[in-house]
Amino acid sequence: MATEIYPSIAQCALIAAAFKILLFPAYKSTDFEVHRNWLAITHSLPIWQWYYEKTSEWTLDYPPFFAYFEWVMSQVAKLADPAMLRVFNLEYDSWQTVYFQRSTVIVTELVLVYALQSFVDSAHGISKRAAQAAAISILLSPGLLIIDHIHFQYNGFLYGILFASLVLAKKRSGFLWSGLVFAALLCFKHIYAYLAPAYVVFLLRAYCLSPKSIFKIQLLNCVKLGSGIAAILGVAFGPFALKNQIPQILSRLFPFSRGLCHAYWAPNVWAMYSFMDRVLIYVAPRLGLPVKAEALNSVTRGLVGDTAFAVLPDISPRMCFILTLLFQIIPLVKLFIQPTWDTFIGAVTLCGYASFLFGWHVHEKAILLVIVPFSLIALKDRRHLSAFRPLAVSGHVSLFPLLFTPAEYPIKVVYTIFWLVLFLLVFDRLAPASSAPRFFLFDRFSTLYIAISIPLILYCSLLHQIIFGKSYEFLPLMFTSSYSAIGVVGSWLGFLVVYFTS
């Protein structure tokens, strides 16, 4: 009989839930009002009006399954406070509303708890302890704490569905269900479409084509997968298709009028590009380079629809799409040739990297698309862990500006530092040696990068205000996103090398 590994997923989930309850009165972002408004829309209006309603600026812009999810929660919400379900009751936040919405995040996160336990149960021997450590690190992630339980969203619930799909893909008998669960996830939140290319290639190669020959199609498997996906899409979008509302839904899901950068620079390639442009504004006159005067007031400030560069060429959505697709195709070639579970998770991670680093109007919260799947294979060996370390630091530090209120400052900093120290030390003990040689320079980069994070956090959180007061308010955000971008890009390059040499 296998011995129980302590602490268990359930024990950690219980302690984490108690801590999250204490955060109920904490700062809440506009996302709190977004979801309250969606509760009101789905409860108070006919389904045909859901994607047309625009009393609030926070219109419904998630796929239908999430709208159905909001409708289900609204049936309970009316028992807590019916006033929260009135469409015209904008910015309503009674204590009953706050407690109800905060509670739903914790309760729906049980999907993640179940999926993580399934992941641990699917491991055996020595790897089971590593799987347990990775699972607990995700459950207690500072990213989920900051984004879901303070800022406010339902990522724990959604990543639970993603995890369930990834775990199902470990066995051939689960391939079909893995694809169907992922299709359902796309109908909850379309951002996961960034990971879809890895699923398409893996299921095509491992499930739809014969293991013995890529030229032999397993027709029955194709029919089962195709009909299953069609049924899921039919349940999600069918009612709206009958009313010819699909174009309206798509206009809500894909608002391309937004600018290249989000509210502040997500730590990606465009953050580094934006930083370079800011520097060139001061250097260009000395080098004789032209500066676009009309862009000086709006350059790279990340305002919606207002991202222009003063010196460097502007970036178009098409360019972002081409770069994202290119850097997704590269790992998919190996996945097609070698359709194992580890290669599949690596490809999912690299698809997340590519979309985050090169995508159009990327939200800083999307870094979880990389951190979460990478966590599953971070302990495969020490080379994987070396690539994961700078991502764990940069990804979580980049989320700090989401919480800018003084009361939440010690929570985000102390909790994140504690998590990083604890889990990076545990991971360092559990990660086995690699059969392939490690990269000396990359190991040194990881150490130096982590060391720089402490003075950076100190400056951006405290020293900047002491030195400059309210002047140069954009500077700490620029430093944070640019520093974090170096870590994410460095981690991506390191993992690309590891992926193709494993």
Side-chain angles (χ1 to χ4, degrees):
M1 180 181 292
T3 57
E4 182 72 20
I5 302 176
Y6 180 83
S8 69
I9 301 291
Q11 289 168 334
C12 291
L14 188 62
I15 294 171
F19 176 65
K20 291 163 186 174
I21 289 172
L22 296 176
L23 296 175
F24 277 11
Y27 160 81
K28 55 186 184 298
S29 72
T30 53
D31 280 336
F32 181 87
E33 169 61 14
V34 168
H35 288 281
R36 186 216 59 81
N37 185 54
W38 293 0
L39 285 172
I41 290 173
T42 56
H43 184 269
S44 304
L45 300 176
I47 185 174
W48 321 118
Q49 296 180 26
W50 288 359
Y51 287 96
Y52 287 90
E53 212 293 320
K54 54 181 181 180
T55 301
S56 167
E57 63 178 308
W58 313 119
T59 53
L60 180 60
D61 58 5
Y62 275 22
F65 273 4
F66 201 92
Y68 303 158
F69 170 70
E70 293 278 4
W71 178 85
V72 171
M73 289 195 297
S74 75
Q75 305 310 304
V76 183
K78 64 184 178 183
L79 303 176
D81 185 355
M84 79 172 82
L85 302 175
R86 296 171 188 159
V87 174
F88 293 95
N89 218 354
L90 303 182
E91 306 296 336
Y92 185 77
D93 63 348
S94 68
W95 69 264
Q96 294 98 326
T97 302
V98 172
Y99 278 44
F100 172 77
Q101 288 195 234
R102 296 281 197 198
S103 297
T104 59
V105 177
I106 294 175
V107 171
T108 56
E109 203 172 53
L110 290 174
V111 176
L112 177 63
V113 175
Y114 171 79
L116 291 174
Q117 186 61 59
S118 299
F119 170 63
V120 174
D121 293 341
S122 68
H124 303 284
I126 297 175
S127 63
K128 193 177 187 71
R129 185 173 293 277
Q132 179 106 347
I136 293 175
S137 76
I138 294 165
L139 179 63
L140 303 181
S141 164
L144 289 177
L145 183 79
I146 291 171
I147 297 173
D148 281 11
H149 300 280
I150 301 179
H151 194 265
F152 197 86
Q153 274 192 358
Y154 290 92
N155 288 287
F157 165 67
L158 296 170
Y159 279 105
I161 300 175
L162 175 64
F163 259 105
S165 173
L166 295 175
V167 173
L168 285 167
K170 293 191 80 171
K171 294 184 178 179
R172 185 169 183 81
S173 59
F175 287 172
L176 173 62
W177 285 107
S178 174
L180 297 184
V181 170
F182 183 73
L185 177 61
L186 292 179
C187 295
F188 274 99
K189 191 171 182 178
H190 50 302
I191 192 175
Y192 294 98
Y194 287 131
L195 309 181
Y199 272 87
V200 171
V201 171
F202 178 71
L203 291 174
L204 171 67
R205 181 66 179 86
Y207 185 69
C208 294
L209 300 180
S210 170
K212 298 180 180 178
S213 172
I214 62 172
F215 300 105
K216 185 177 180 181
I217 300 174
Q218 300 191 91
L219 187 58
L220 181 59
N221 287 353
C222 293
V223 171
K224 287 191 290 185
L225 181 61
S227 59
I229 292 174
I232 290 169
L233 293 176
V235 173
F237 292 93
F240 302 97
L242 294 175
K243 293 285 187 176
N244 297 317
Q245 292 187 359
I246 300 302
Q248 173 64 18
I249 294 177
L250 293 178
S251 71
R252 288 282 183 87
L253 299 184
F254 303 102
F256 286 111
S257 60
R258 295 176 179 175
L260 173 67
C261 301
H262 186 44
Y264 78 92
W265 307 341
N268 59 11
V269 167
W270 307 129
M272 301 169 74
Y273 190 84
S274 300
F275 180 81
M276 189 182 305
D277 189 75
R278 299 287 276 190
V279 172
L280 286 174
I281 289 175
Y282 302 99
V283 177
R286 296 182 176 86
L287 299 179
L289 297 174
V291 178
K292 291 177 280 188
E294 66 275 12
L296 290 177
N297 292 329
S298 63
V299 62
T300 67
R301 291 185 180 274
L303 303 177
V304 174
D306 186 34
T307 304
F309 296 97
V311 181
L312 297 175
D314 288 337
I315 304 298
S316 67
R318 177 178 294 182
M319 187 180 300
C320 290
F321 175 78
I322 292 172
L323 287 172
T324 299
L325 187 62
L326 172 65
F327 286 106
Q328 286 189 338
I329 289 174
I330 292 172
L332 295 180
V333 173
K334 179 178 179 179
L335 177 60
F336 187 83
I337 297 171
Q338 186 182 328
T340 64
W341 188 77
D342 282 350
T343 309
F344 171 52
I345 301 301
V348 168
T349 302
L350 287 168
C351 282
Y353 266 117
S355 61
F356 184 82
L357 289 173
F358 301 100
W360 177 265
H361 195 75
V362 175
H363 288 235
E364 61 283 351
K365 292 168 281 192
I367 191 62
L368 293 182
L369 278 176
V370 186
I371 295 176
V372 169
F374 199 165
S375 299
L376 294 180
I377 53 174
L379 289 172
K380 183 179 179 181
D381 59 40
R382 301 195 70 81
R383 294 206 311 163
H384 282 75
L385 180 57
S386 290
F388 180 76
R389 278 198 200 99
L391 173 68
V393 175
S394 59
H396 290 114
V397 169
S398 72
L399 297 174
F400 281 6
L402 287 175
L403 305 180
F404 50 83
T405 48
E408 282 68 38
Y409 173 77
I411 297 174
K412 68 181 182 183
V413 173
V414 173
Y415 187 91
T416 301
I417 291 176
F418 178 77
W419 183 92
L420 286 169
V421 171
L422 175 63
F423 283 102
L424 290 182
L425 286 176
V426 170
F427 281 15
D428 194 60
R429 291 179 59 187
L430 292 175
S434 172
S435 56
R438 293 170 66 184
F439 307 103
F440 175 81
L441 290 178
F442 189 74
D443 285 345
R444 293 298 174 268
F445 163 77
S446 296
T447 303
L448 178 62
Y449 185 81
I450 293 171
I452 293 174
S453 66
I454 304 300
L456 177 84
I457 294 171
L458 183 64
Y459 172 80
C460 293
S461 304
L462 183 63
L463 295 181
H464 177 83
Q465 191 170 6
I466 294 175
I467 298 171
F468 296 107
K470 293 187 177 181
S471 301
Y472 305 105
E473 287 182 319
F474 191 70
L475 208 57
L477 293 176
M478 184 175 70
F479 284 157
T480 299
S481 59
S482 300
Y483 163 81
S484 299
I486 293 171
V488 176
V489 171
S491 172
W492 171 63
L493 293 173
F495 184 54
L496 266 176
V497 174
V498 171
Y499 181 78
F500 281 103
T501 56
S502 296

